[in-house]
């Protein structure tokens, strides 16, 4: 069952009912000012940091679902309705929500009044624009009253929902003309305030929530709206809001347009006030003036659309498969950018106050956006590397504002160091910019301890080399990629963090997954060393890789699949010998994509086992059989009910690893089958089961053991976006950046047909036509570059604006 | 305007409308299981710790106000209503909420159905009982469907509102008969679960919130209730709830009674399961069996009522003033007990997840309950003293469960040490138990560093003696009683805690308030030293007191009132020389109640200044003029808008200090005027302005500078309760425990008339008749004990069960 459709031409997802299974959201903003907006106008805005500078209040997991947002109430006689349906939930005569790239539009109507609402954050200003157009489609004049509504958050979103003994006394506002200024704490240490304005005279306002809503009333029935009149309240403590009242007469056929602006303003400390207690509004006036007219707003939207179009043009596919086209060209790349912007901080599942940026998360996310914004990727690599310790280990998380490591969590996640190689390699392969490798980067943000980035990568590599267990496999530490497999934790009491409780190191527990990573990223490190001319170092790395490869074959193979780990007692994890959790997905995916066991025929066996043991119609589960009881020696993974999250859920992040692994062994059919099972454009068809947005990936889908098998959770901010884009763009469609150029090596399902790729790479636009006359799954017979057949399948780097390539599979 | 009335006979406050200005709550529970319940059935329950073991979910500052609680929906044809009005808000034909001591009752009716709901936590079990009685008052048979509802919190209330990427996947329940078991995380590290049961067969149930409510619906319109039928949902992640459906036929005049039980069960680790995954329910069966019948429930309620009656009988007054009687005999003592039970952790303003127990808070709270539960007061003194440092300073907060100091906050609040003397002195004067003084108590909870409690008190005293500033006045450190006067902080950025930012010590900033405390509690220390036979130490203390007394006179007097402090630059705070904040309440109250300046005539002058400069019709403001801008050198106090909180709000906590001070100078009229201005029983008359509960004190009332002058905030958990009880019971009514017996020294307003006091003290019931034939405000002419006139006004301690005393004022 679908609740909407893709409008590929406009690059929008069109939602045709407000009652989606869950709120389906979009992100507005691409730089410093961000908003989350759902298909019923729920959501909130913040400046830079979702915890510390939250502009509007939002209550997660509230009842009714997703109440709180930027609302417009239209009072038409006794009928009150909202363009986004919520919060009044008055049945609409028509409804449509279009989530586009950085904007959302609502079109709805009731009793012959049409409302059109456009919401976006312009590129260069710290504000959200809401353009509301009301049209009288009847043949009688209509008297309407329009009420706007936002509820201010008192800036720190965490404190805002806890510290009532203070917060209920601090709220302050100013009103001037049609502009409501929220200035709580501005009188003391804040140099910023927020505004909510409209480009029209107003007939009333409210700034006190309790006065606007009336006692014991909800957002669905504000007393001010019911009575048709704001009260003119001036908030003094309690909950400040902003509501404008505008009385409107519309002649038959007449339209009127209102531009509302929610803005964030910072003043220099010495320019805070114009007179005692009165905020300096000059910057607000400037901002408002830039969005007074329809033309100004339309121009800003056009600029935004152009930005996105240009950005996404860096990788485009045109195939016979619409679903692949729309995911690659629009939604998957868009999600990668949102993940970059949000750093896993704020979604409808991440409350925006929980965590810093993950070391491994950021490294992996980068794989998905490095081709879009290589300059910012470079910056982020330096930031990440700056939190590394001198011994090569790393802070597991760091703070986005200070960019410093989070000592509450510390280090001990032994896969972290290798991810730094992964993202640096990806960056250099994308850009050819080897200067990053010689850039001086501090350890622990301490410039007294600094070294070239290449030295950081060496320490990453050496960390694994010097931290091996009894079988010569990497020690796992607190956890590897699977944060919930805690082999040195042994937590017995609720409230103890599985990630930080117990010792950060153990001398026995080993990870086969990290071994797979080492084989893959050890080779990528060797290539970087070669690029730098250090062939001895490259050879050393490859020798270590070979040693690890053998350790995996000798101690990491269980007979039909790769083991997952050895626990702190030296017992196998993910083995047929286990009572539960006999097979895990991660080592099958990562060992094979690293090439382990391919020539020995083990890779194929492992992938067969994945299909037999872990596959479901909704994707590949993380492990089987699910853990039915808590295993002290395994940690959080066994804390979840069977089928959910790491305990045998379908973790979308690692499904592409298996898909990539299938391309490594040349199985295009199976690679694509795996791709399509979790692919939003495919999943759209059964949205009533999947429930989350059908245009983006979710972190997890309930596995076969769960009562809600097939139901997704934690949409938007997940490494899935990056890894799926790597999979579809580089392995299935097969256009892979290397140090010497773009390799073309598709691995497609039978019947996929010919396709074109447009790729902006190192200053050149590559126009690539892939022909598959023999309908093979893999294999490139011929590559013709600007009319010339080349040797091999790596399109050389050239100094031309456009390159035309023809690729013949076979 | 009133929204109810006091029913003194039943010791209840009766609320006659559900739409009180704010939710008016009560506390259920007196030992380990607690519930907050509002007059519309909002609220939540927890076991021991409101953060870590929250049973049911509650959303603070929600819209609509106060939604979320234990709800009963009565479906009578197309009409659905709740006995507590919320959440359907269906207009009721009658409504009444009675908040009693540890229980609340609701009586309401709709369409000739009467509902009576009794809610309480029995004394010996970890559960809340809800007895619901439905009566058909019509002369036709009625078919009703009853739905119960609670929403489970996933135990950790902080994590519950943040960590959705985990929490939405963990919820688990079991259902057996009429019992719904909430067992989220029981499969792993929790050994506890919760139950919601009813003593009747059920016709259906729901345990998944989304199934019960239906998509996008609120608590006001669950789809299950609307359709008349639960769905039988089994929660699997998301939000587990418990709802019973019971179909009822009531003949004309027939009543039916249902006993609902919300319980908390802990199992020994080795007895968690009866079979894999199935929780051991034996303890739940036992608990449920104890509350199966009306007789059992009535007995438990009677026991509870007896407990409270006995407890409160330790201090009773019978005067011509009903308001004084009801506050002293019922509500003020009740609030003191609630403050003891909650330790400032959970009210409708303290979200239950914010803070540990305050050192100074706990010491002061003890002044209000030491006569009620001396054994537990003793225990608490030992706990508090155990967090003291060896140098006499103290952790400013400590954790109630671990009883260890909170190192996040640390020490540096230089009044803290002296409060330990205050509460120990109060305990010894109440009980005569000097053994506490020789009890060995650790420093910093470290038994290697332990000393007798008397040594702790000595270090408290010495801390002040050894931490004086340029004027010989005590250094203030981070802050004294007024946490918001931060003279060494100099915070310039939002998010910095005023209490912990900057140095904890400063060599210049001094507090006149601490000087007042030193004079008062230095003398009380000297008395304890004498009790222990250490007359040299007593003399030393008194000599130090004298030195301090002189320092206050020399450097703490501003001409018409006492200074508040010297800031870090040595500038005066609370002086006529200041631009803002010229006079503060605290030093006027505390210096005078310590006796400073009485014989010099300064005390009277200071109190006159208070009346002239700080008094309002709603109480005495903390300072004047209010700070209109942020003063970096003063800290948080200047961060509040004028008139709120510490910035010129009426801080109820220190109003009694001034009232006591007035009794010290013999001004009964003024003492009582001050008492009555913030006294709930007086305030009740203008509840529409005051807004918080009219049966308990609030922390703060908005001062004259605030737009909402007279509006109270932060009701229930405030030191106001203790200090007001000390004021009315010991100073105005004048019955004061001393080391040699009960001193009787009333200071009453003219016309107060004769009154009786009943006091249980050191094993004896004192029946005291106070006669005031000359209508004096102060002065005791004669005290007759069991027929014998005694010397002085201290009733000697005797070894008899009853003592009859006649007191003649004059």
């Amino acid at each position: 069952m679908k609740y909407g459709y893709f409008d590929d031409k406009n690059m929008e997802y069109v939602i045709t009912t407000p009652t989606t299974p869950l709120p389906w959201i979009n992100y507005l903003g691409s730089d410093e000012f961000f908003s989350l907006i759902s298909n019923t106008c729920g959501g909130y805005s913040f400046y830079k940091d979702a915890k510390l500078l939250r502009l509007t209040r939002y209550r997660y997991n509230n009842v009714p679902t997703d109440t709180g947002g930027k609302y417009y109430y239209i009072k038409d006689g006794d009928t009150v309705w909202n363009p986004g349906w919520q919060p009044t939930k008055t049945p609409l005569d028509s409804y449509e929500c279009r989530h586009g790239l950085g904007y959302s539009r609502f079109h709805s109507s009731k009793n012959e009044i049409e409302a059109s609402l456009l919401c976006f954050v312009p590129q260069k200003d710290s504000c959200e624009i809401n353009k509301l157009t009301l049209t009288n489609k009847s043949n009688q004049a209509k008297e309407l009253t329009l009420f706007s509504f936002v509820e201010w958050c008192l800036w720190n979103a965490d404190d805002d929902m806890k510290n009532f003994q203070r917060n209920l006394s601090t709220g302050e506002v100013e009103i001037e003309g049609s502009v409501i200024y929220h200035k709580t704490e501005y009188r003391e240490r804040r140099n910023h305030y927020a505004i909510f304005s409209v480009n029209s005279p107003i007939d009333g306002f409210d700034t006190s929530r309790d006065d606007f809503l009336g006692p014991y009333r909800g957002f669905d029935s504000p007393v001010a709206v019911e009575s048709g009149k704001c009260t003119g309240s001036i908030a003094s403590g309690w909950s400040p809001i902003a509501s404008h009242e505008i009385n409107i007469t519309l002649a038959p056929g007449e339209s009127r347009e209102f531009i509302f602006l929610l803005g964030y303003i910072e003043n220099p400390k010495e320019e805070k006030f114009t007179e005692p207690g009165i905020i300096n509004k000059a910057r607000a006036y400037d901002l408002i003036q830039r969005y007074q007219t329809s033309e100004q707003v339309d121009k800003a939207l056009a600029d935004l659309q152009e930005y996105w179009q240009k950005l996404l043009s860096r990788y485009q596919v045109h195939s016979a498969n619409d679903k692949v086209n729309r995911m690659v060209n629009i939604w998957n790349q868009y999600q990668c950018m949102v993940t970059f912007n949000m750093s896993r901080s704020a979604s409808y599942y991440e409350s925006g106050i929980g965590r810093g940026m993950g070391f491994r998360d950021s490294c992996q996310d980068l794989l998905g956006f490095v081709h879009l914004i290589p300059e910012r990727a470079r910056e982020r690599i330096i930031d990440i590397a700056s939190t590394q310790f001198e011994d090569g280990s790393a802070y597991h998380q760091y703070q986005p504002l200070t960019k410093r490591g989070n000592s509450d969590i510390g280090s001990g996640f032994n896969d972290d160091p290798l991810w730094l190689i992964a993202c640096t390699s990806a960056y250099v392969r994308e850009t050819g910019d080897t200067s990053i490798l010689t850039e001086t980067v501090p350890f622990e943000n301490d410039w007294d301890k600094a070294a070239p980035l290449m030295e950081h990568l060496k320490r990453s590599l050496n960390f694994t080399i010097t931290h091996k267990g009894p079988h010569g496999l990497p020690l796992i530490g607190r956890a590897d990629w699977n944060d919930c497999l805690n082999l040195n934790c042994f937590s017995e009491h609720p409230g103890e963090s599985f990630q930080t409780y117990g010792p950060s190191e153990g001398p026995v527990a080993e990870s086969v997954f990290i071994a797979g990573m080492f084989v893959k990223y050890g080779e990528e490190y060797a290539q970087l060393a070669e690029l730098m001319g250090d062939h001895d170092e490259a050879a050393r790395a490859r020798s270590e890789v070979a040693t690890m490869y053998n350790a995996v074959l000798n101690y990491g193979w269980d007979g039909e699949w790769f083991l997952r780990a050895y626990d702190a007692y030296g017992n196998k994890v993910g083995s047929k010998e286990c009572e539960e959790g006999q097979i895990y997905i991660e080592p099958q995916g990562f060992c094979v994509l690293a090439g382990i066991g391919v020539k020995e025929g083990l890779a194929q066996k492992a992938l067969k086992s994945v299909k037999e043991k872990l596959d479901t119609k909704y994707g590949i589960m993380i492990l089987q059989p699910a853990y039915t009881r808590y295993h002290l020696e395994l940690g959080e993974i066994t804390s979840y009910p069977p089928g959910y999250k790491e305990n045998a859920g379908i973790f979308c992040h690692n499904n592409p690893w298996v898909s990539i692994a299938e391309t490594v062994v040349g199985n295009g059919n199976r690679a694509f089958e795996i791709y399509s099972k979790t692919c939003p454009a495919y999943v759209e068809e059964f949205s009533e089961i999947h429930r989350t947005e059908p245009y983006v990936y979710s972190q997890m889908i309930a596995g076969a053991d769960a009562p809600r098998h097939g139901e997704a959770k934690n949409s938007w901010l997940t490494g899935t976006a990056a890894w799926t884009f790597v999979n579809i763009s580089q392995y299935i469609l097969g256009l892979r950046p290397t140090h010497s150029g773009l390799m073309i090596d598709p691995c497609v399902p039978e019947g996929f047909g010919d396709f074109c790729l447009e790729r902006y790479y190192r200053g050149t636009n590559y126009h690539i036509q892939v022909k598959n006359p023999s309908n093979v799954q893999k294999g490139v017979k011929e590559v013709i570059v600007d009319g010339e057949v080349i040797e091999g399948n790596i399109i050389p780097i050239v100094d031309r604006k456009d390159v035309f390539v023809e690729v013949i599979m076979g």
Side-chain angles (χ1 to χ4, degrees), chain A residues 735-766:
Chain A
L735 192 59
R736 197 143 73 243
T738 74
H739 294 301
S740 49
L742 279 174
M743 175 190 288
I744 177 76
D745 187 21
C747 184
V748 292
E750 286 166 25
F752 190 74
D754 302 346
F755 57 98
C756 297
L757 296 168
E758 301 285 333
R759 178 70 157 94
Y760 177 81
Y761 179 70
R762 301 202 192 181
T764 300
N765 295 304
Y766 290 86

Side-chain angles (χ1 to χ4, degrees), chain A residues 145-148 201-206 228-231 243-247:
Chain A
T145 312
L146 172 66
F147 298 86
S148 69
I202 57 175
D203 298 290
F205 64 84
D206 266 307
K229 194 74 208 138
C230 277
T231 72
S243 175
H244 305 96
E245 175 201 333
I246 305 170
N247 300 319

